[in-house]
Amino acid sequence: MIITKQNCLRVARCAFIMMVLTESTTGFVPQFRQSSLTKSPRVTNNYKLNMMEPTVVDVITDTIPNMHSMASAAGDVISTINMDAASNSNLLSFSDQGNSLAGIFFQASLLPYLTFLYFLGYKANRIPAIGNLGWQYLLLFVASTIPGGIIAGANYGYKLADCDWLHGSAEVLLTVTNVLIVLGFQTASTNNGIPDISKIRPVVFALAAAYFAFAFTGLSLGFEGHSEFLFGIGGLPDDVVASLPWVKYAEPANALSIPTWAVHFSSVFEFLFAMNLIWNFAEVTNNPRWKGLTWAMLPLHASGVAACTYHFFYNPASLQFLVDTQAGLTLLGNTCVAIAAYRIAISNGWTLSELNPLPKSSTDPDGIISDSLAVMPLNTVESDATVASLAGKLLALTLVTSYVVKYGELGLDLPFSPNGFVGTAMICSVPALTTAYFLNKSKIENGEEGFTLPFLNSDGDDKPKMS
């Protein structure tokens, strides 16, 4: 392939089209084919780029009004580099998923996710508009990894996960996704007031547009391959880290910065909050099938944990199976939430006639039923869990976890000597606790005797502490 601006323009266009046709859901984990990190003080790794997570997107056109100019910008960036054949493969390495087990899983998970969005948005479900926007916004997060991956591979020879300033800024869009879901369901379920979505939508789409502009201009602004996201704000100086009594190893060059760890962990915690709010939405709507959606979200929760586990070990080749595991969890999760959304929709009157694109008669009985359900008021409740209190809990959990993981693991041999059994246990442990929590909550709500869960306490009358 001859590297010209015109060819790069075509590649950039194809990248966006291919992503719309191939990718799928939650958690960002790259694939690589390089030797594992060593224990040397500073390690620089050249990995092949690979991306995952949800895709499709009606909302992309709202966010990127001029795709041609963006693609041209990508061409300008890439054409400044003298690339050999190996570099060319980095440029298109996101498509390598198609030849791997992970790629097959991700591609297969697209249709279930689209199905989920369709059934979830059925008007009689009374899903909060802001929450519904959040699920759709996830697609923009995935789209953001396309230019980021191309730029990281073409300019630095890294995969996106090893290019912190691009990685972290893209992950912000995933955090926005989960914030919208939490905000939508929390405000719709309480009497705290529902924000005006017409004011929120331009802000979140502008944020996505800002990411794309930043991705295409970062190189000219002087950002390097391992430049830290947000300049590593909050990170400890090297001499302070070295003086910590437990530290045994120096961080590899591709270690996540505090801001990048923060957006990862905030996404995981926000997803937990969302699961709990969706569970409680069953009471708000008098429809217990919403609880089924919470159960269906468990594989996606595990997929997010798998992403963090992979980054904890600095993305070693010996734990490549974690990528396939996350991909499998993504496919399973998308399938489960699609089924759960279908069950919610049919419980609210959805029938096959809804697939008919022609307008329904005003006397159509199915239409009358769904219209009536759509305007039924929600059984909102008073709650002490305000948006501000949720934000405070999220911030505290995020900061504590980010610092503990980033600097605490430097005193362990484990991250520098990856162990597949431990990695698997880490992926299973957090979702297992989450499962136990909701199982206990279900028992109590059904009048059965529950069991005690440390730090995830719940009682029969109050809302769970995780919310």
Side-chain angles (χ1 to χ4, degrees):
M1 174 181 176
I2 299 175
I3 303 302
T4 66
K5 181 174 179 178
Q6 186 61 28
N7 282 339
C8 293
L9 175 60
R10 292 170 180 163
V11 167
R13 286 174 174 167
C14 291
F16 278 91
I17 295 172
M18 289 176 66
M19 184 55 109
V20 167
L21 296 175
T22 61
E23 296 285 344
S24 220
T25 223
T26 46
F28 171 83
V29 174
Q31 188 173 351
F32 83 43
R33 305 171 186 173
Q34 187 85 351
S35 60
S36 60
L37 295 172
T38 68
K39 301 178 184 177
S40 58
R42 300 296 292 178
V43 180
T44 301
N45 299 294
N46 293 322
Y47 302 142
K48 290 190 77 175
L49 167 71
N50 205 346
M51 296 159 289
M52 45 198 267
E53 263 129 3
T55 43
V56 239
V57 208
D58 295 333
V59 290
I60 289 180
T61 54
D62 293 333
T63 308
I64 312 174
N66 194 339
M67 188 71 71
H68 182 277
S69 62
M70 286 245 174
S72 297
D76 290 335
V77 171
I78 298 171
S79 60
T80 62
I81 311 296
N82 291 324
M83 300 169 61
D84 55 17
S87 301
N88 297 347
S89 66
N90 279 330
L91 182 63
L92 297 177
S93 57
F94 62 84
S95 63
D96 290 344
Q97 286 189 84
N99 299 320
S100 68
L101 181 60
I104 293 172
F105 284 153
F106 286 128
Q107 293 175 48
S109 65
L110 173 59
L111 181 59
Y113 188 72
L114 290 175
T115 303
F116 162 69
L117 290 179
Y118 169 77
F119 284 115
L120 188 71
Y122 180 55
K123 61 182 178 180
N125 291 343
R126 294 179 288 171
I127 180 175
I130 296 175
N132 197 34
L133 173 63
W135 288 111
Q136 296 169 351
Y137 196 82
L138 182 60
L139 305 172
L140 266 180
F141 159 64
V142 177
S144 73
T145 65
I146 297 293
I150 292 175
I151 293 168
N155 291 282
Y156 309 118
Y158 299 145
K159 58 184 178 182
L160 183 55
D162 292 325
C163 189
D164 197 74
W165 67 275
L166 282 168
H167 183 193
S169 55
E171 288 286 335
V172 168
L173 300 187
L174 178 58
T175 294
V176 172
T177 290
N178 292 332
V179 166
L180 290 172
I181 296 171
V182 170
L183 180 64
F185 281 92
Q186 200 276 340
T187 55
S189 301
T190 65
N191 293 321
N192 294 330
I194 300 177
D196 186 353
I197 190 172
S198 66
K199 296 180 180 179
I200 292 177
R201 186 181 288 112
V203 173
V204 295
F205 284 131
L207 183 62
Y211 164 79
F212 287 101
F214 177 56
F216 288 123
T217 59
L219 182 65
S220 63
L221 294 174
F223 285 91
E224 300 178 352
H226 291 306
S227 293
E228 293 182 314
F229 173 49
L230 293 181
F231 304 102
I233 185 173
L236 301 178
D238 290 343
D239 56 340
V240 173
V241 175
S243 68
L244 296 174
W246 64 83
V247 170
K248 298 166 60 177
Y249 300 97
E251 282 191 318
N254 69 335
L256 272 60
S257 64
I258 283 291
T260 301
W261 267 126
V263 292
H264 277 77
F265 285 125
S266 66
S267 295
V268 171
F269 294 134
E270 289 156 7
F271 201 73
L272 284 171
F273 290 171
M275 290 173 70
N276 193 61
L277 289 166
I278 289 173
W279 179 282
N280 294 334
F281 203 63
E283 179 182 344
V284 175
T285 58
N286 286 323
N287 188 342
R289 294 196 177 183
W290 280 99
K291 295 179 181 179
L293 180 55
T294 294
W295 289 119
M297 291 166 69
L298 278 169
L300 299 179
H301 168 49
S303 179
V305 173
C308 292
T309 301
Y310 198 55
H311 294 320
F312 173 83
F313 288 104
Y314 304 111
N315 310 336
S318 59
L319 296 185
Q320 173 62 32
F321 76 93
L322 295 182
V323 179
D324 298 333
T325 300
Q326 186 185 9
L329 288 169
T330 295
L331 174 58
L332 176 61
N334 283 357
T335 302
C336 288
V337 295
I339 294 172
Y342 168 74
R343 294 180 70 247
I344 294 171
I346 61 172
S347 71
N348 288 322
W350 185 91
T351 64
L352 287 174
S353 64
E354 295 291 335
L355 299 176
N356 185 351
L358 298 177
K360 291 183 173 59
S361 168
S362 60
T363 59
D364 179 75
D366 292 333
I368 293 174
I369 292 175
S370 62
D371 289 342
S372 299
L373 288 172
V375 298
M376 285 184 63
L378 298 173
N379 299 321
T380 57
V381 296
E382 296 290 345
S383 174
D384 294 331
T386 63
V387 172
S389 66
L390 282 174
K393 290 180 180 180
L394 174 63
L395 180 61
L397 284 170
T398 296
L399 290 178
V400 170
T401 309
S402 297
Y403 279 98
V404 168
V405 171
K406 179 174 175 63
Y407 298 115
E409 67 175 329
L410 298 180
L412 304 175
D413 294 328
L414 180 62
F416 301 90
S417 302
N419 185 303
F421 292 105
V422 176
T424 301
M426 291 172 66
I427 294 176
C428 295
S429 59
V430 177
L433 284 173
T434 305
T435 301
Y437 172 81
F438 285 108
L439 181 61
N440 187 49
K441 183 174 172 63
S442 178
K443 284 179 174 290
I444 293 174
E445 290 179 353
N446 292 331
E448 302 176 27
E449 184 177 355
F451 47 88
T452 302
L453 287 172
F455 67 80
L456 283 180
N457 211 15
S458 117
D459 53 62
D461 297 323
D462 297 327
K463 299 300 179 188
K465 305 304 180 189
M466 70 160 58
S467 68

